[in-house]
Amino acid sequence: MNGDIEALLRSGLAEQAERAPATVDDPALADLAIAGAHRIRRRRRAAAGATGAGLLVLGAGAFVLQPLLATEDQGQLAADTSTSEVRNELGMEFLIQDDEGYQVINDDGDRVALVDYAPQDVYRLADAYLVVSAEEQTTELIGLDGAAGRGMSWPSEMTYNVVNSEATQFAMVTSNADYTEESYAINDAVIADRTTTIEFTTNFELTLADWSASTTVFTADLWSTTAGQEKRWFFDEQYSWNLESVGYAGYQSAVILDQQDPSFVCVADLEPGSGLAQVGEDCGRVDSPFVQEALGAAAVDEAAADLVDTAVAEFSGEGTQIYADSEPADLGDYEDQYYQAEYSQLDPSGRWELSYSRGDSTWILVDYTGDDPAVSILTPPEGAVMPVLDCRPPE
Amino acid sequence: MSEVKSSQDEEFREYVAARSAALHRAAYLLTGNWATAEDLVQTTLTKTYLAWSRIRTTDSIDAYARRILYNTNASWWRKRSNREKPTEVFEDRADLSRDFTEHAAVRDAMWRHIAVLPKRQRAVLVLRYYENRSDAQIAEILGISIGTVKSQASRALAGMRKRLGTPASALGVAMEPREAA
């Protein structure tokens, strides 16, 4: 079947692409691009000049005078940023490799030994590090002081991890071979002798986005069926979403956000330990009385509403995620390095973005914490492999 | 100096004349509508010109432009995703005035499905099945791991398999959940 789909994709995409507009050979296209590029360069010169005037007072004359004196087009000049600065100001931690294996340099500047294999990603959770390795097909929880934690082998090479917004739990997520359903194993992110794992399995159409002790938040395609109509729908019953499994696992409610319009949601009332509290899901705008009432009836804790509001904001691009409130960074002369770097990592809270190739002496840092994105050149610590991704909610 | 500039500009114009159609086609497959595709290509060409003096003598001009195209589209998505709605995406719906053959219906169903895919999944499909790139090349262009390329492709194919698996679903005759009594 995959072969048929792939053949259809090849022919269908080629056919679709051939419906090219008549304007593509417009000779003005290149001239518009050239004119646009000149405008950007003029803006960069002006910005660099203005920045220079401010910094000149601080005695950085030799550096900042350059854009004012240069006769050729100059890109935006980026200031150097040190490891200690990003540690103190952005709370950034790094994974480094040395003779003793892989270690974290934490936000206090201390080294914490993690593992002896190369991780794919390292996440900072509330009380532990989560070390994920696609090569080893393992997920390992390690204490903030390097204390041994739990190592979990992946059930499948397609397994991946999701961390909740409080960074107190993580999920091991694995689809079945037919991609018709996905199994979730929710684990506490603490180093303890005995822990509990909560498991449920839902239709592949649902994707777990966040959760609390009482409520699970998923995303799915709702709009193509509902077209935004507010009423009770029966997705679970007719599309075999298997929300019953979520109820059996102990949750009071499941809230499903539309993939395209996250402010349109469906609320399923669950019976912890038993399955469904009612058949059908109440769907509508998240701030509508209909949905708010359904949410209040389904989940007993007030935090559920906040959880849903936060998820809607995040998926609507109005939360803390990157680019939510700021214009794209003007990369200036570092555009090449930015686009040609092997890796790009985004801070889960949207405070920074790093573009880098391992082994490079400098990495490009985009700081989104100010009014405008600020591009600078970061000198990473020796042996730096990647930044640690901090999943904790912003303070 | 101005002669050098003029020569560079001419080279750039030649590049645009030779490659803009291909860039437009890829941009259309990525964005799903012509207006956004044209904006995306214009932005890509502007960024390419900004780097022209450095890349014009290399063999990787087109690779550079492609990477900008795909990454700019991704960053637009991050900024604009909350304003995109399915009804705005389906600009190119099936033309009911022409013969509504099964082939056309299936192709249109496929296109409707691609149009609502997450941007990264759509980019992976376009690169793999339209541009015939290897997974390693896709990973390089999108700045993601090969494993992520595979998982995104698998997820997109699984969704398509489900939606196009039967003639009824391929033709968009989907069963509607029953309404409340």
Side-chain angles (χ1 to χ4, degrees):
Chain A
M1 188 63 195
N2 252 5
D4 293 344
I5 294 286
E6 290 178 317
L8 180 65
L9 271 167
R10 286 186 205 284
S11 62
L13 286 173
E15 205 172 324
Q16 198 71 34
E18 286 309 312
R19 300 178 177 180
T23 56
V24 295
D25 57 352
D26 184 349
L29 204 55
D31 289 331
L32 283 171
I34 292 170
H38 285 317
R39 278 196 300 276
I40 289 172
R41 283 176 173 158
R42 279 196 294 275
R43 281 206 303 273
R44 285 175 180 170
R45 276 203 296 272
T51 306
L55 288 176
L56 197 60
V57 177
L58 302 175
F63 170 73
V64 299
L65 276 174
Q66 188 181 358
L68 300 174
L69 299 175
T71 54
E72 289 190 27
D73 282 346
Q74 292 284 329
Q76 180 184 13
L77 289 177
D80 284 349
T81 303
S82 69
T83 304
S84 60
E85 282 173 327
V86 293
R87 216 166 46 218
N88 295 332
E89 294 170 17
L90 299 172
M92 197 183 293
E93 301 181 337
F94 292 90
L95 180 74
I96 62 160
Q97 182 187 17
D98 63 14
D99 295 340
E100 297 175 17
Y102 290 85
Q103 306 175 42
V104 163
I105 297 183
N106 66 19
D107 52 5
D108 291 328
D110 299 329
R111 293 187 174 219
V112 179
L114 284 190
V115 290
D116 56 7
Y117 55 82
Q120 176 188 332
D121 285 308
V122 177
Y123 300 97
R124 170 74 151 88
L125 308 188
D127 298 306
Y129 292 106
L130 194 68
V131 182
V132 177
S133 170
E135 194 168 331
E136 302 285 327
Q137 295 196 12
T138 57
T139 296
E140 198 162 351
L141 194 71
I142 296 175
L144 296 178
D145 58 356
R150 279 176 290 153
M152 286 154 279
S153 296
W154 292 2
S156 148
E157 64 175 0
M158 300 306 292
T159 297
Y160 63 94
N161 299 108
V162 181
V163 176
N164 70 340
S165 56
E166 291 299 312
T168 53
Q169 292 185 315
F170 65 97
M172 301 276 284
V173 190
T174 306
S175 68
N176 63 353
D178 296 332
Y179 296 102
T180 54
E181 56 187 35
E182 221 158 25
S183 297
Y184 296 90
I186 309 277
N187 299 275
D188 287 331
V190 292
I191 309 298
D193 292 337
R194 301 182 66 177
T195 59
T196 306
T197 299
I198 300 169
E199 295 180 318
F200 56 85
T201 299
T202 52
N203 191 295
F204 191 80
E205 295 290 338
L206 297 175
T207 303
L208 183 67
D210 198 3
W211 66 93
S212 65
S214 70
T215 303
T216 50
V217 179
F218 296 88
T219 60
D221 174 20
L222 304 176
W223 194 271
S224 60
T225 298
T226 66
Q229 193 177 0
E230 176 184 293
K231 65 180 181 186
R232 179 164 295 173
W233 293 84
F234 295 86
F235 284 97
D236 183 60
E237 184 184 51
Q238 299 210 359
Y239 289 124
S240 305
W241 274 3
N242 199 26
L243 293 176
E244 191 176 37
S245 166
V246 184
Y248 275 127
Y251 292 97
Q252 296 172 356
S253 64
V255 180
I256 301 93
L257 278 51
D258 181 59
Q259 288 169 345
Q260 294 292 328
D261 182 358
S263 64
F264 187 86
V265 307
C266 290
V267 180
D269 192 357
L270 309 178
E271 188 64 48
S274 301
L276 300 175
Q278 70 173 30
V279 177
E281 302 81 40
D282 292 336
C283 306
R285 293 275 156 207
V286 68
D287 53 359
S288 68
F290 182 63
V291 166
Q292 286 297 314
E293 190 178 326
L295 196 55
V300 295
D301 66 328
E302 292 179 358
D306 291 339
L307 180 78
V308 174
D309 286 344
T310 301
V312 169
E314 287 293 330
F315 281 86
S316 299
E318 295 163 359
T320 57
Q321 70 196 60
I322 203 158
Y323 298 128
D325 301 315
S326 56
E327 290 298 315
D330 185 353
L331 297 164
D333 278 349
Y334 300 102
E335 193 162 276
D336 273 356
Q337 189 179 342
Y338 176 87
Y339 281 117
Q340 289 172 9
E342 291 174 358
Y343 301 96
S344 176
Q345 291 279 21
L346 311 176
D347 173 40
S349 298
R351 294 167 297 183
W352 51 260
E353 178 181 7
L354 271 179
S355 185
Y356 61 97
S357 296
R358 288 176 190 167
D360 280 359
S361 58
T362 58
W363 295 1
I364 293 181
L365 169 71
V366 185
D367 180 351
Y368 290 97
T369 57
D371 290 338
D372 294 309
V375 180
S376 63
I377 297 300
L378 170 71
T379 303
E382 189 177 349
V385 175
M386 65 176 79
V388 173
L389 299 176
D390 188 352
C391 295
R392 293 172 296 173
E395 293 175 357
Chain B
M1 183 63 199
S2 61
E3 283 180 16
V4 173
K5 272 281 178 202
S6 174
S7 166
Q8 286 188 16
D9 287 0
E10 206 46 50
E11 288 172 12
F12 179 73
R13 288 190 186 93
E14 288 172 11
Y15 169 78
V16 172
R19 301 300 301 159
S20 66
L23 289 173
H24 269 94
R25 284 195 289 269
Y28 173 57
L29 295 178
L30 287 175
T31 62
N33 72 73
W34 291 124
T36 309
E38 287 181 349
D39 286 350
L40 180 58
V41 171
Q42 193 67 64
T43 301
T44 298
L45 291 175
T46 301
K47 289 181 173 180
T48 302
Y49 182 79
L50 282 168
W52 192 252
S53 61
R54 293 185 293 276
I55 64 173
R56 57 192 274 265
T57 56
T58 70
D59 295 329
S60 57
I61 296 173
D62 210 42
Y64 183 87
R66 297 254 157 192
R67 186 155 196 193
I68 289 180
L69 183 88
Y70 282 89
N71 282 290
T72 301
N73 184 53
S75 68
W76 280 6
W77 165 63
R78 291 179 190 127
K79 260 191 91 61
R80 299 178 178 184
S81 60
N82 57 320
R83 288 185 282 280
E84 287 184 348
K85 300 287 184 295
T87 50
E88 295 166 358
V89 173
F90 299 144
E91 183 181 272
D92 199 87
R93 288 180 180 279
D95 179 358
L96 297 177
S97 66
R98 65 170 188 244
D99 288 343
F100 195 65
T101 63
E102 186 177 344
H103 169 76
V106 172
R107 187 204 60 205
D108 286 338
M110 181 203 75
W111 182 240
R112 282 199 299 275
H113 176 65
I114 289 175
V116 296
L117 281 177
K119 284 290 175 69
R120 185 180 277 181
Q121 286 184 26
R122 194 190 311 177
V124 168
L125 292 187
V126 172
L127 283 163
R128 192 192 255 191
Y129 298 111
Y130 175 65
E131 297 201 2
N132 295 314
R133 308 268 180 177
S134 69
D135 286 353
Q137 289 172 323
I138 297 170
E140 188 184 342
I141 288 172
L142 298 181
I144 57 180
S145 70
I146 294 175
T148 303
V149 172
K150 288 178 178 173
S151 67
Q152 295 289 305
S154 296
R155 191 167 278 268
L157 288 174
M160 293 195 67
R161 193 169 58 231
K162 181 172 291 181
R163 282 190 168 80
L164 306 181
T166 66
S169 60
L171 291 167
V173 191
M175 182 174 63
E176 290 243 335
R178 69 177 163 85
E179 299 179 9

